Amino acid sequence: MAVRAAVAGASGYAGGEVLRLLLAHPEVEIGALTGNSNAGQRLGALQPHLWPLADRVLAETTPESLAGHDVVFLALPHGQSAAVAERLVPDVLVIDMGADFRLKDAADWEKFYGSPHAGTWPYGLPELPGARAALTGTKRIAVPGCYPTAATLALFPAYAARIAEPEAVIVAASGTSGAGKAPKPHLLGSEVMGSMSPYGVGGGHRHTPEMIQNLGAVAGEPITVSFTPTLAPMPRGILATCSAKAVPGVGAEAVRAAYEKAYADEPFVRLLPEGQWPATAAVHGSNAVQVQVAYDAAAGRIIAISAIDNLTKGTAGGAVQSMNLALGLAETTGLSTIGVAP
Amino acid sequence: MAVRAAVAGASGYAGGEVLRLLLAHPEVEIGALTGNSNAGQRLGALQPHLWPLADRVLAETTPESLAGHDVVFLALPHGQSAAVAERLVPDVLVIDMGADFRLKDAADWEKFYGSPHAGTWPYGLPELPGARAALTGTKRIAVPGCYPTAATLALFPAYAARIAEPEAVIVAASGTSGAGKAPKPHLLGSEVMGSMSPYGVGGGHRHTPEMIQNLGAVAGEPITVSFTPTLAPMPRGILATCSAKAVPGVGAEAVRAAYEKAYADEPFVRLLPEGQWPATAAVHGSNAVQVQVAYDAAAGRIIAISAIDNLTKGTAGGAVQSMNLALGLAETTGLSTIGVAP
Amino acid sequence: MAVRAAVAGASGYAGGEVLRLLLAHPEVEIGALTGNSNAGQRLGALQPHLWPLADRVLAETTPESLAGHDVVFLALPHGQSAAVAERLVPDVLVIDMGADFRLKDAADWEKFYGSPHAGTWPYGLPELPGARAALTGTKRIAVPGCYPTAATLALFPAYAARIAEPEAVIVAASGTSGAGKAPKPHLLGSEVMGSMSPYGVGGGHRHTPEMIQNLGAVAGEPITVSFTPTLAPMPRGILATCSAKAVPGVGAEAVRAAYEKAYADEPFVRLLPEGQWPATAAVHGSNAVQVQVAYDAAAGRIIAISAIDNLTKGTAGGAVQSMNLALGLAETTGLSTIGVAP
Amino acid sequence: MAVRAAVAGASGYAGGEVLRLLLAHPEVEIGALTGNSNAGQRLGALQPHLWPLADRVLAETTPESLAGHDVVFLALPHGQSAAVAERLVPDVLVIDMGADFRLKDAADWEKFYGSPHAGTWPYGLPELPGARAALTGTKRIAVPGCYPTAATLALFPAYAARIAEPEAVIVAASGTSGAGKAPKPHLLGSEVMGSMSPYGVGGGHRHTPEMIQNLGAVAGEPITVSFTPTLAPMPRGILATCSAKAVPGVGAEAVRAAYEKAYADEPFVRLLPEGQWPATAAVHGSNAVQVQVAYDAAAGRIIAISAIDNLTKGTAGGAVQSMNLALGLAETTGLSTIGVAP
């Protein structure tokens, strides 16, 4: 019997992507689609790529419209998920694609998000040590941020293997869909095409404490993260260029070995053959992660680079992957590792 | 038992796209992958988005390497398919994604392609009147060109309904993958980003006689086509803006009715609701076609516009759709109408 | 002594481009910069590419702020120029980059713009027959629309030479800056990158009557125009693909001769050598127009194609060119024919 | 009397850009244009944006064709400049836009370029301490690499002020024109649009020793540089995200002060107001550099970011700026700080 799924926030990019994936998921039946300002509109006008759902009309996001489903995906602005989630019955699987339940440290949450901390849910990055166990059978999932997904998968093998110093430097380029669908002047096509620009420089980006939380847990010690996000002239994709000094005595072989060990059996993370480098186009529309690592002997640094699709593995694909675990389905059900390229 | 398929020309864009689709096709098993200059290389280095095939190595394109399959896809430069096809046994299904077997008129072929005519195979555009019958059970399929697919689907309903004068004007914008993967200076990213430019202006493009053949057959009379292709700064997609004078007495209602009739039951062609216009992004990576039509009373013209993905419905998706018919499978098997957007 | 120029609407794309050009104009000194919602802001925050003006602060658009200048450029939304212009003294040169004073036919204006007709000013397309005389010494200039500039320059030589039938078909692709800087969802970078889409199809675009006015005046008879604009994934540039049936008896030589005659001495319009086709990248940031023409014998049509920068020759460059004529300066003063490419 | 300039390698991107700038230079007259494989072709076919030079024909690059000029710009592949330069008379100003004469350390050259070291010429980055004196009156100039220009201008103020530890981490995104005009599969528009990808990771990029040379000289001590270049989907521009640990005791004020001091009087480098960040679009086509800096207290790092146009300030603009110094002209002659945006 099909799993019945509702999507709150179906008009945005995260909502659209989770619908795209659920339409291809053999065990899921799509139930209510809700929105706020777009309630009452046809999905075909808002998400013209989702032809099979073109004639569906958005309902208001209310406890009533979301009731009666097995799974509810929340694709809402930060800070709005808790109010919706608390009115859903405990035995429905609630998957929050926003930030509300990702951080464990309430002070971090308050500092970066400026509102009271709503709590912490199991973190939907199955590749992290211990994560699969925590996700199996859970009724609440906090989907990781897109940048933390990319950066954590690039760097955690180095910290897991104790070969990296606890000071990480992360520079990531994201496609514009990561900034959402609310129209703002700096996100206009005229502004972003032909331009690269940074934002949230100097430690201010909200994904920084999430990266510190992930990598610190693996490292078993506090680490610092210098994170600089940049906006790239493309609709999708994150390329995360991450580095840390190597622990004394570590060389190229140990680095390679740490990554081969970490990703030997991961269904969605591919450590590329030596000499080949990640490209966001190669994972466009897929749940795959491309990872590569190098050791720079002159600088004494480990350079680990990952490419993901920010909307798929970085948001909705990660959500579906965790949903599969929570529901007891095969983790890869309905997800593809094949990119749409060129 | 799975259909075993080989792809000749697996390193190019058409070959890569047919592999992407076949990987998702439930009835197909991928057999030999061949190339010429790239023989001996890993597919992972050539098509990094096709992770499940990354470790496959390209064989030489020879009768031996292609033997023992149920289906052979030819993704070869124009003029090379006949030599390969004639050495394949008659009961293998051969699907030519090149131009060699599309045209019925040998003189047209020789004029536009400059080589002897190889013959004519059943034409793989199932939406055309009579096409499904011709494709069912066939062992040879000529996949239409990308521009003729877009232009024919935009205009044929008008000619089928006898509401358009026999002089069509077609201006189409194509993504750069339509020009192939052989590196040429004018196809460099530096040249195409930020630029729109026409080519093959004035009737010289090789897809012109194919459009004339398609539309003339539907119209039941000779028609002329003024076709201007343009290169757009995007990797995929064709937007075809097509028009013809309306037959005297025809108005907006008759125009709409003709298109509603033509596309009432087509699984891959969607006549959009009035007021919504096609966009290539909405069909990115999918086999769907978006069509819209308007009647310009002041100019007395029917304006019909279609959007396709040039590599999917325009090449490899059309090939798989026709393959399904030839093999007796459901026509939509393994094909999606859901675009990857934004 | 320098010409002192004010720009009303300095925060938008047209305003920014006229400032970019005026900064390079040897006879102009930049005076007041005004805006409405952005009044009080530093220009450096709104137009970060205009470094020399970074510390200038926008004033409110009022008669007082615009007083005391020799030239006032109006870069305002359609319908707002008349109210501002009527409060400026008669001997200041007022250059309207909006649509308000372009159309001669009040009924056309009211039909397409839905407001009362404000009047008609000399039309700032110097290349049209008689236009230079009308612009010399004038105190009021209506700058042409971007699409009419491109389409008129592509087609008028054919109508001037009486070689084209009076039914023109125009399909044009524009960069997104033509749609302005007000943020709207369909103009987001995420939406436009990778996508081509039409709008205003079927005769509804407001530039249609302006094209009819221009070409009809040259032809000396009424003409119809079927105009389809499309949005292309690039920030700047218009490629206009225009065609009309050739008058019986006209062939390739007569077509070429008509264009050679029209553009033999134009400083900003270049008829390309045969075999070379326009590209928007080649005129990026310049006031140059690339034109090419072909005769399609099979279809009996003349195909004329132009490329312009929509913000330069299509708006602000055309404005400065006309200003030069109005002020008695050399027409090319301060304007470049050199594109910024690649 | 005009300075007569020749350009060897006029068909490539660096050659085209230097011609674009020289056409706007009031003291320069353009003499011979030379090429190798393109000799005999019209420049209009190779560089269609340079209308005023469209009918010039490329000569062969020989001592004879380059003789009789005051300045010779060499825009040749790495390793070819020395052979040409040694056959030019000593009193002609030779400006090498390739790498041949940048490095002081012969071992570095041989390690990274694999050929014998040709020598070291005055380094054309006037903003570096002491550089203007070395360039004034010189007859030989080595134009810096594009990445070293961006990275050095981002970081040297921190090293000059002794506030940064000697381990720099640099991640830079470049437009595709930095990779040149020779067609290669990975530079096709189809491949680069929609994709970010790194290359030369782990210390292997040839610009690494040049950065070490520049920053080490300013720091007065050896420094290490971890440099990762990435290819961005845009034709022009470099965004360099650079960081280093702050020396203990250094805080945000000291960091800001160091940059304000370094760039108080530089005509082409603009330290942005606090809160505004560099964007490559803002310097498109200009010689301007946008710089911003932040201090990340949690990570203890200085983050300095610069945006340049790789072809202008990063290559040809830097070359003209240095030429002005060598010839005793005002340093800013013929160069603009105004970008072409959007």
Side-chain angles (χ1 to χ4, degrees), chain B residues 197-198, chain C residues 239 256 259-260 263 268-280 282-283 288-294 305-307, chain D residues 42 44-45 47-51 54-55:
Chain B
S197 58
Chain C
L239 185 80
R256 183 83 196 169
Y259 280 75
E260 285 180 343
Y263 291 132
F268 291 113
V269 187
R270 181 157 192 252
L271 178 64
L272 294 173
E274 292 188 65
Q276 185 175 354
W277 289 92
T280 63
V283 297
V289 183
Q290 289 192 333
V291 172
Q292 184 57 290
V293 67
I305 303 185
S306 65
Chain D
R42 290 176 57 256
Q47 307 275 21
H49 60 301
L50 302 177
W51 178 2
D55 294 326

Side-chain angles (χ1 to χ4, degrees), chain A residues 202-270:
Chain A
H205 194 282
R206 289 169 165 180
H207 286 174
T208 308
E210 193 178 337
M211 295 177 188
I212 291 173
Q213 175 175 291
N214 292 350
L215 297 175
V218 173
E221 63 176 328
I223 73 157
T224 65
V225 167
S226 164
F227 171 48
T228 307
T230 65
L231 197 64
M234 56 188 192
R236 288 179 176 234
I238 289 179
L239 183 80
T241 301
C242 311
S243 69
K245 288 193 76 167
V247 164
V250 164
E253 282 183 34
V255 171
R256 184 81 196 171
Y259 280 75
E260 284 179 345
K261 181 180 170 204
Y263 291 132
D265 297 314
E266 280 298 336
F268 292 113
V269 187
R270 180 156 192 253

